[in-house]
Amino acid sequence: GASLLLNLCEFVKSLHEIPLPNCCAKKCDEAAGTNLHELTREFIAFNASALSSQQMLILQNEHERVAEALAIADRFSRSIVHGDLHGENILVNGSGALIGVIDFDDAWIDSKVWEFAGIARGHCFNDEGCLLPNEFYNLYVEAKSLLNSHFTLEEFTKLVRTACFRNMLRIFQSDYIEVDQKIRAQRRMNQWLDLRRWMGTWDTLQA
């Protein structure tokens, strides 16, 4: 809900205040060090029967749009990025208020704005992957305030789109080494949910 989003934004504000020289986190490598363009081609080839012709066409050139989003993100200072502030990583009390965050295993140092893009990915779409416009806009306004920086709603949408795209490819890549079938099945579900979110942001940008 709206209160949880505000709680998460306050948590992110505190996270951003941690001095970088005193922390230990790895620098982000796109899709775990693999070239996004090559990984996208592998994804298309592996899922050709499940993708529409429109999805395949858009995917083939997505690495160019990712470069645009990275340029937007580079305008912001760097900090620790948790990157997965949703689901089981968020602890709430009986009233739904945030009381803790866990699982910093994949935290990295990157542009501060990526944390807000990640929050949007996890909290501003419904279970079908469709964008929730009110939640999305409210988060955008809060992010602008906390970052004390001006960026457009379209630019924020591009960042969220890229967050969905990169996570989709990260899950796809991790399937190569995962042997537990239940975990693989859950990851496949998450992968396709990110695909629907990615297409949802595409539709928003084209509107």
Side-chain angles (χ1 to χ4, degrees):
S3 61
L4 179 57
L5 280 179
L6 290 176
N7 288 163
L8 284 172
C9 288
E10 286 301 314
F11 167 77
V12 171
K13 179 181 178 182
S14 299
L15 192 64
H16 289 174
E17 292 172 353
I18 298 176
L20 289 183
N22 299 328
C23 70
C24 294
K26 57 182 178 293
K27 185 177 182 294
C28 176
D29 274 327
E30 290 181 14
T34 301
N35 180 276
L36 277 178
H37 188 37
E38 181 61 32
L39 193 55
T40 303
R41 290 198 301 178
E42 292 178 17
F43 178 84
I44 293 172
F46 187 83
N47 296 289
S49 61
L51 294 168
S52 69
S53 56
Q54 180 195 27
Q55 287 172 333
M56 286 192 283
L57 181 63
I58 299 171
L59 276 167
Q60 287 168 358
N61 297 309
E62 185 64 15
H63 66 286
E64 297 176 2
R65 286 180 282 270
V66 169
E68 182 180 358
L70 293 176
I72 295 170
D74 281 345
R75 294 177 358 214
F76 301 87
S77 59
R78 294 161 63 85
S79 70
I80 300 172
V81 177
H82 181 285
D84 200 14
L85 292 175
H86 59 88
E88 297 178 354
N89 295 334
I90 295 175
L91 307 178
V92 297
N93 61 19
S95 302
L98 181 71
I99 59 174
V101 170
I102 61 174
D103 192 5
F104 280 80
D105 290 350
D106 293 324
W108 72 92
I109 297 174
D110 209 333
S111 170
K112 292 179 177 180
V113 75
W114 285 123
E115 196 75 87
F116 295 100
I119 292 174
R121 174 184 157 265
H123 297 272
C124 296
F125 294 83
N126 65 17
D127 292 340
E128 301 302 317
C130 299
L131 191 69
L132 301 172
N134 290 337
E135 288 84 344
F136 190 79
Y137 181 76
N138 291 338
L139 178 60
Y140 160 69
V141 171
E142 191 68 19
K144 278 205 308 180
S145 174
L146 291 176
L147 292 170
N148 194 26
S149 177
H150 176 74
F151 54 103
T152 67
L153 184 59
E154 180 180 3
E155 288 176 327
F156 187 57
T157 304
K158 290 178 180 179
L159 290 164
V160 175
R161 172 185 171 84
T162 293
C164 296
F165 176 71
R166 293 203 295 184
N167 196 68
M168 179 183 73
L169 293 186
R170 182 181 64 82
I171 296 172
F172 171 68
Q173 188 179 43
S174 69
D175 272 352
Y176 288 136
I177 58 175
E178 181 56 60
V179 295
D180 187 295
Q181 293 303 309
K182 289 184 178 180
I183 295 178
R184 290 194 71 176
Q186 182 61 51
R187 285 181 174 176
R188 290 287 290 177
M189 289 178 60
N190 292 339
Q191 175 181 300
W192 287 103
L193 180 56
D194 268 314
L195 179 71
R196 291 193 293 271
R197 290 166 175 156
W198 169 76
M199 285 303 298
T201 55
W202 169 262
D203 294 339
T204 300
L205 287 168
Q206 299 309 300

